[in-house]
Amino acid sequence: MRTGRKRLMKKRTIYKIGIALVTVLSLCNATMASGLNSQAADQAMAASWQDKLQPCLLEKMQTTDEKIPVWLWMEDIDYTQAEQTVYQRTGLREENLSVIYQPLSDELAADLANLAESEEVSSEVKAEFREYLKQTAPARQLESQRTDTYLQELRSVQKEMHREKNASIFRTLNISEDDLLLTETQAPVYIVNLTGAEIERLAKAPKVTAIYAYDTAAPAATNTLDTPIEAVKLQNTLGVTTLSRIRSDVGLTGKGVKLGVIDVGKVLASNEIDSSRITYVSPWQSYDDHHATNVARIAAGSYGVAPGAQIFSSYGQVIDGSNSQIDAVNNNLITALTNQCNQGVQVANYSVGVPRGNITDADTLYYSPFEIYVDYIVRSNRLTLVAAAGNNNGVIYQPALAYNVITVGSFNNWESQDQSLHQMYHNSSYDHGQGQKTEGCFKPDLVADQVAAGTSYAAPVVTGLVALLYELRPVLKTQPEAVKAILMASCHRKVRP
């Protein structure tokens, strides 16, 4: 998730005998060299500004005189400065968040691993782990407080810095306020309407780093279940999983973890989710929707994976094909991600998306500009985002091709512990990279039990699991890349087609 640059340096030795000659030649050719360098610079500039654009955007610029909605990426903030400001305000750095406490013994860890394979685990092992949780509770609580304070302050500082720097750069670009569609306070990007000539002018500006087409007609995913999942179905499906035994046998519940549900409609209170556990975060819709509620029940309901987590509900449906007007309301996922970060959400579930096959821009069939944005938000805000792969039997929905997103496909366990009966959901989307563009990474990252049809109800199983990890080791909240690695490394079997 991090990149580095290598610098190569050459040493040149100039012998004393040639100094005079070199100096004379340099002076004589100064004017000529200046002209050549200027010419080369102009050619380099012409090439470099085009490198900042998608090929499809260059094509659009040549085929239309109308304004084009684009992602305008600008120079980023100084993250070292942000971290230093956080340290000055809180006395905390990422490297000193951990609280030292007694680790699990190798023997207990091995016994717990057997819990994933069999129910035949002694009551002594379960009791020993519960005692471990009890003894480490004060240290884990302190680590959680330190981590939450650091994470929230870091996001706040970065937000302040983005707001100031974005606005400062934007003022120098001479763009009309009327063309500003969406401002962003968690990333160095605005969404604006620009003519082809304006795009070229801005691409040549040193503080503009990239310009990507913003698609205005991406249809919303239609994988909503109109009815509630029966409680007995939820209990039976999750009851045969290891997760159920972890909760009932060893006592992890995701207590204190802030878990986001970005979905259609709002999460409803019920006998499985008390209203005191739900916080509504803008944007949210007033209408009731069972899809969002089902997702929340699986992730954090009383029969779900992490019944101790706090739920933050936002409306995250992206714009549909009948409405090409872009603003902060229509582009709900962008706003929801920003606002959930502001609320301190540490892991979020996104079980809706955009089918790629209908997107008008061929360049977004793979790793899209929208996913570039999501990758940035996840990494810079240390947010673990879990997304459903989609039910398109092949093409992964947006934004699930993002590198930093945990993308989840689904299988059916048929409410049985007999793994030989488990079967991959026939419409679970995947991307094997054959016959397509190779940009991006293969997805999904893993598959999980579907509580009902579709990947929508497999993703929250993983989201709940992340909440359990955060309860057990709170410092992981700042390390979404480590969480993803842990989950993928923990996969121990394949599911038959």
Side-chain angles (χ1 to χ4, degrees):
M1 299 175 78
R2 295 181 180 174
T3 61
R5 297 181 178 177
K6 296 181 178 179
R7 297 181 177 179
L8 301 176
M9 301 182 64
K10 281 188 175 182
K11 292 183 178 180
R12 296 180 178 178
T13 304
I14 301 177
Y15 293 98
K16 292 181 180 181
I17 194 170
I19 290 178
L21 178 60
V22 170
T23 302
V24 170
L25 290 174
S26 297
L27 290 172
C28 291
N29 292 311
T31 303
M32 183 186 299
S34 176
L36 292 174
N37 288 339
S38 176
Q39 221 173 27
D42 290 342
Q43 293 174 349
M45 175 63 76
S48 63
W49 79 263
Q50 293 182 355
D51 291 340
K52 294 181 181 181
L53 311 182
Q54 292 170 283
C56 71
L57 183 54
L58 283 169
E59 293 174 8
K60 287 182 180 180
M61 291 165 58
Q62 296 168 1
T63 58
T64 182
D65 294 327
E66 297 181 359
K67 291 190 174 183
I68 305 169
V70 297
W71 298 86
L72 182 69
W73 285 89
M74 298 170 283
E75 186 179 76
D76 209 346
I77 61 174
D78 185 340
Y79 282 96
T80 300
Q81 179 186 341
E83 292 171 357
Q84 182 62 27
T85 302
V86 172
Y87 178 71
Q88 292 171 351
R89 293 181 182 180
T90 66
L92 296 171
R93 299 185 189 275
E94 186 170 356
E95 57 267 25
N96 68 7
L97 297 178
S98 298
V99 176
I100 304 300
Y101 50 87
Q102 183 65 35
L104 283 173
S105 67
D106 292 342
E107 183 179 0
L108 179 56
D111 288 338
L112 288 170
N114 293 331
L115 185 63
E117 304 295 336
S118 171
E119 288 188 339
E120 300 300 322
V121 178
S122 70
S123 58
E124 289 81 4
V125 171
K126 299 173 186 176
E128 186 178 352
F129 186 72
R130 285 182 177 273
E131 182 61 26
Y132 170 81
L133 292 179
K134 180 179 178 180
Q135 290 180 358
T136 60
R140 288 186 292 110
Q141 183 178 5
L142 177 59
E143 183 173 286
S144 182
Q145 291 171 349
R146 291 164 64 89
T147 302
D148 292 352
T149 298
Y150 171 83
L151 190 57
Q152 199 59 20
E153 190 63 34
L154 179 66
R155 290 175 177 177
S156 177
V157 168
Q158 291 177 171
K159 179 179 178 180
E160 294 170 12
M161 294 176 67
H162 277 305
R163 181 188 288 114
E164 293 176 6
K165 186 161 188 175
N166 288 357
S168 175
I169 294 175
F170 189 78
R171 284 193 295 269
T172 69
L173 298 178
N174 297 319
I175 302 174
S176 170
E177 291 285 343
D178 294 335
D179 291 327
L180 184 58
L181 302 176
L182 184 67
T183 60
E184 176 57 82
T185 58
Q186 297 283 10
V189 64
Y190 283 174
I191 298 175
V192 293
N193 261 332
L194 299 175
T195 64
E198 288 174 322
I199 291 173
E200 180 176 346
R201 175 177 65 83
L202 293 177
K204 292 177 180 178
K207 291 187 180 297
V208 172
T209 59
I211 305 177
Y212 304 130
Y214 186 95
D215 201 307
T216 61
T222 55
N223 57 346
T224 301
L225 184 66
D226 294 330
T227 58
I229 299 173
E230 294 182 3
V232 65
K233 169 70 174 176
L234 194 155
Q235 288 177 282
N236 289 345
T237 303
L238 290 181
V240 300
T241 66
T242 303
L243 293 175
S244 176
R245 297 200 296 275
I246 288 175
R247 186 187 66 187
S248 60
D249 292 345
V250 302
L252 290 173
T253 65
K255 181 180 179 181
V257 175
K258 293 183 176 181
L259 186 152
V261 176
I262 305 174
D263 214 284
V264 292
K266 66 177 183 179
V267 175
L268 306 176
S270 67
N271 60 348
E272 296 177 32
I273 304 176
D274 189 83
S275 59
S276 64
R277 295 178 54 214
I278 304 173
T279 300
Y280 295 111
V281 180
S282 176
W284 61 278
Q285 295 290 333
S286 59
Y287 70 84
D288 300 340
D289 185 85
H290 293 300
H291 189 270
T293 304
N294 286 337
V295 167
R297 290 170 62 205
I298 295 167
S302 57
Y303 301 130
V305 180
Q310 291 295 312
I311 299 168
F312 291 76
S313 173
S314 291
Y315 179 78
Q317 191 86 334
V318 293
I319 57 174
D320 60 33
S322 64
N323 188 352
S324 61
Q325 180 64 37
I326 306 175
D327 55 30
V329 175
N330 286 337
N331 209 327
N332 285 299
L333 180 54
I334 293 176
T335 308
L337 283 172
T338 297
N339 290 342
Q340 292 226 349
C341 285
N342 292 340
Q343 289 288 326
V345 167
Q346 297 135 355
V347 55
N349 188 94
Y350 188 65
S351 284
V352 291
V354 181
R356 294 172 190 274
N358 295 329
I359 294 179
T360 58
D361 180 359
D363 275 31
T364 61
L365 286 176
Y366 256 55
Y367 186 57
S368 69
F370 183 53
E371 285 158 332
I372 293 173
Y373 166 80
V374 170
D375 265 336
Y376 184 95
I377 289 295
V378 169
R379 180 68 189 100
S380 63
N381 288 281
R382 319 295 173 85
L383 172 71
T384 297
L385 181 62
V386 181
N391 308 321
N392 202 25
N393 193 23
V395 180
I396 298 287
Y397 286 9
Q398 291 191 86
L401 268 189
Y403 289 85
N404 300 335
V405 167
I406 300 172
T407 304
V408 183
S410 66
F411 70 91
N412 197 332
N413 67 22
W414 301 111
E415 301 179 15
S416 171
Q417 293 180 349
D418 185 349
Q419 295 182 358
S420 67
L421 299 178
H422 297 177
Q423 187 173 15
M424 190 71 71
Y425 173 55
H426 67 282
N427 278 337
S428 182
S429 292
Y430 61 92
D431 180 4
H432 49 64
Q434 296 179 7
Q436 303 283 348
K437 296 183 179 183
T438 56
E439 186 178 4
C441 50
F442 294 171
K443 295 281 187 169
D445 298 303
L446 46 86
V447 296
D449 307 77
Q450 61 177 46
V451 179
T455 59
S456 286
Y457 302 134
V461 174
V462 177
T463 303
L465 174 56
V466 173
L468 301 184
L469 282 174
Y470 286 169
E471 181 188 5
L472 181 62
R473 195 67 216 232
V475 75
L476 286 173
K477 296 173 187 176
T478 67
Q479 303 170 35
E481 67 275 29
V483 172
K484 182 174 180 179
I486 289 169
L487 292 178
M488 294 180 68
S490 299
C491 295
H492 64 285
R493 65 188 177 95
K494 293 182 178 181
V495 178
R496 66 184 178 89

